[in-house]
């Protein structure tokens, strides 16, 4: 018996079970907490599982994250000591690039001002700088960041990326590690954040980082776009940086507390675009197929791909 356990919150477990059953009707799918005999569970698929849901699975072979980010799983004290595989999927990558390009363009083309003007019936023509005069910097040039970088470059922006280890990408200026951070920020007008949340990146988006962004850009002040994780950002620092002009505007898809509390000042902030952690909302069918194919490859001895490095946390 090689049953699959689904342990998720905030997602429709029954729909996920149907997807896996359709892909392989011979494999039993169980939904936590109805796990039956734990010894049957060979695979678990998890997204923000309830505390203890992954405990006591003595025959577990592989744990699949139902998202690209694994911070919620890595932080689980009961995380089983088996390979942890994360989602890497072309559909997800393309959707994230859409979100990034959309939001870079919204700020670049001054659409927050245009929306406010429309509501106030004001016919104003704000300065529209060329894309080639705007410097976009992407923190995190992995699966998602690289695709977004290439697409922004195609639109004419000056694009740079920052990563932990040195990377080389045609047409993209690259910076790495602590030493590379200051020069990367100093040439950045629009900061796009696609970092994983790890001990090294928690709280990295703070006042001192914002103060290092270019203040001489054609947009009149730096812009922050965070589609990585809420835990990367100090939200009080974002608000004060928006108030005193250290940041001109922001797009936030992720927050320290999700759903964003009703009384959060971000909801009504005139310089902020809020979205509900949907930047790369992907086709669940494609993600189920990806996990199913990984199981087949694993059982055929071909190994797993996109296994998380427990030491770095991503
Ligand atoms: P990858 O692991 O492919 O890329 C991560 C990038 O971040 C790499 O370039 C890596 O550097 C860099 N990085 C990691 N730690 C550091 C550090 N300490 N200093 C500098 N750079 C660092 O991840 P993905 O691109 O697939 O996903 C990125 C994140 O996006 C996910 O972890 C998740 O949190 C978020 N996400 C958000 C979604 C949403 O809907 N809002 C949807 C999907 C993902 P290096 O290249 O050297 O390894
Ligand atoms: C995520 C995802 O990691 O949606 O946020 O995959």
């Amino acid at each position: 018996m090689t049953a699959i356990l689904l342990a998720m919150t905030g997602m429709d477990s029954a729909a996920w079970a149907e997807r896996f059953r359709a892909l392989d009707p011979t494999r039993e799918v169980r939904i936590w907490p109805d796990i039956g005999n734990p010894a049957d569970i060979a695979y678990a698929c998890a997204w923000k599982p309830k505390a203890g849901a992954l405990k006591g699975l003595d025959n577990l072979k592989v744990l699949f994250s139902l998202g690209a980010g694994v911070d919620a799983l890595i932080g689980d004290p009961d995380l089983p000591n088996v390979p942890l595989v994360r989602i890497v999927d072309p559909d997800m990558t393309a959707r994230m690039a859409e979100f990034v390009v959309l939001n870079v363009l919204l700020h670049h083309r001054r659409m927050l001002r245009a929306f406010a003007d429309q509501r106030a019936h004001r016919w104003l023509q704000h300065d529209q700088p060329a894309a080639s005069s705007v410097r976009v910097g992407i923190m995190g040039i992995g699966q998602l960041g690289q695709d977004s970088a290439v697409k922004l470059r195609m639109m004419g922006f000056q694009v740079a990326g920052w990563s932990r280890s040195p990377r080389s990408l045609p047409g993209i200026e690259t910076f790495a590690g602590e030493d590379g951070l200051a020069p990367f920020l100093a040439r950045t007008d629009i900061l796009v954040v696609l970092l994983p949340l790890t001990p090294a990146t928690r709280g990295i988006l703070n006042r001192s980082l914002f103060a290092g962004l270019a203040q001489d850009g054609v947009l009149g002040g730096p812009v922050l776009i965070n589609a990585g994780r809420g835990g990367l950002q100090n939200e009080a620092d974002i608000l004060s940086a928006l108030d005193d002009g250290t940041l001109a505007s922001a797009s936030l898809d992720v927050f320290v507390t999700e759903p964003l509390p009703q009384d959060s000042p971000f909801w009504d902030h005139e310089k902020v675009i809020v979205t509900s952690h949907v930047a790369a909302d992907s086709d669940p069918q494609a993600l189920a197929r990806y996990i199913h194919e990984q199981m087949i490859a694993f059982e055929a001895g071909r190994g797993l791909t996109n296994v998380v490095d427990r030491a770095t946390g991503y």
Side-chain angles (χ1 to χ4, degrees):
M1 169 72 68
T2 58
I4 306 174
L5 175 67
L6 304 183
M8 54 184 81
T9 59
M11 285 183 175
D12 184 347
S13 309
W16 274 95
E18 278 320 303
R19 282 175 205 120
F20 284 118
R21 288 188 188 115
L23 287 163
D24 183 354
T26 67
R27 217 189 284 274
E28 201 175 320
V29 184
R30 299 180 188 169
I31 299 175
W32 193 86
D34 299 322
I35 75 167
N37 181 357
D40 298 339
I41 309 291
Y43 303 106
C45 300
W47 179 252
K48 299 183 181 167
K50 286 256 163 62
L54 302 173
K55 218 172 174 170
L57 304 177
D58 295 337
N59 291 330
L60 191 72
K61 294 187 175 68
V62 185
L63 174 60
F64 293 98
S65 163
L66 288 175
V70 293
D71 42 289
L73 286 170
I74 289 272
D76 185 336
D78 301 317
L79 191 69
N81 191 18
V82 297
L84 167 60
V85 172
R86 70 188 193 93
I87 299 276
V88 174
D89 178 74
D91 176 67
M92 174 180 277
T93 304
R95 291 181 194 225
M96 181 57 90
E98 282 178 10
F99 177 89
V100 169
V101 171
L102 169 71
N103 279 277
V104 166
L105 287 174
L106 281 171
H107 294 279
H108 164 60
R109 297 306 300 260
R110 306 180 184 284
M111 289 307 291
L112 281 172
R113 286 190 203 173
F115 294 143
D117 290 344
Q118 180 182 348
R119 281 191 297 272
H121 298 200
R122 280 191 303 256
W123 184 268
L124 291 174
Q125 293 169 334
H126 303 291
D127 183 33
Q128 303 282 342
S132 59
S133 64
V134 175
R135 298 161 294 182
V136 181
I138 304 185
M139 291 181 93
I141 41 169
Q143 297 289 339
L144 303 179
Q146 286 189 24
D147 190 55
S148 296
V150 168
K151 288 171 179 167
L152 287 166
R153 177 88 192 93
M154 279 167 62
M155 305 215 58
F157 291 100
Q158 298 175 44
V159 184
W162 182 69
S163 53
R164 196 170 57 87
S165 46
R167 306 261 156 207
S168 160
L169 295 171
I172 313 283
E173 197 181 357
T174 52
F175 300 83
E178 272 178 39
D179 291 349
L181 184 56
F184 164 78
L185 295 173
R187 53 72 63 209
T188 293
D189 302 314
I190 300 183
L191 181 67
V192 175
V193 185
L194 289 172
L195 287 170
L197 179 59
T198 70
T201 61
R202 182 174 291 280
I204 192 169
L205 303 177
N206 55 37
R207 201 153 234 303
S208 103
L209 182 136
F210 303 144
L213 289 164
Q215 293 290 341
D216 59 350
V218 290
L219 297 178
V223 174
L224 168 67
I225 298 174
N226 184 12
R229 278 290 180 272
L232 299 167
Q233 69 200 15
N234 180 320
E235 295 184 348
D237 282 6
I238 295 178
L239 289 166
S240 73
L242 288 167
D243 280 352
D244 69 15
T246 305
L247 286 176
S249 55
S251 288
L252 304 174
D253 182 59
V254 286
F255 297 89
V256 172
T257 304
E258 295 179 7
L260 185 63
Q262 275 306 310
D263 61 355
S264 167
F266 288 121
W267 286 116
D268 295 316
H269 202 297
E270 59 177 4
K271 297 180 182 170
V272 180
I273 295 170
V274 169
T275 48
S276 314
H277 199 144
V278 292
D281 229 9
S282 308
D283 172 14
Q285 195 59 47
L287 306 189
R289 212 165 25 245
Y290 162 85
I291 293 173
H292 170 72
E293 280 162 14
Q294 288 257 24
M295 289 178 200
I296 290 175
F298 177 71
E299 287 166 3
R302 295 198 299 274
L304 298 161
T305 52
N306 305 313
V307 177
V308 171
D309 175 352
R310 301 272 183 121
T312 57
Y314 70 99

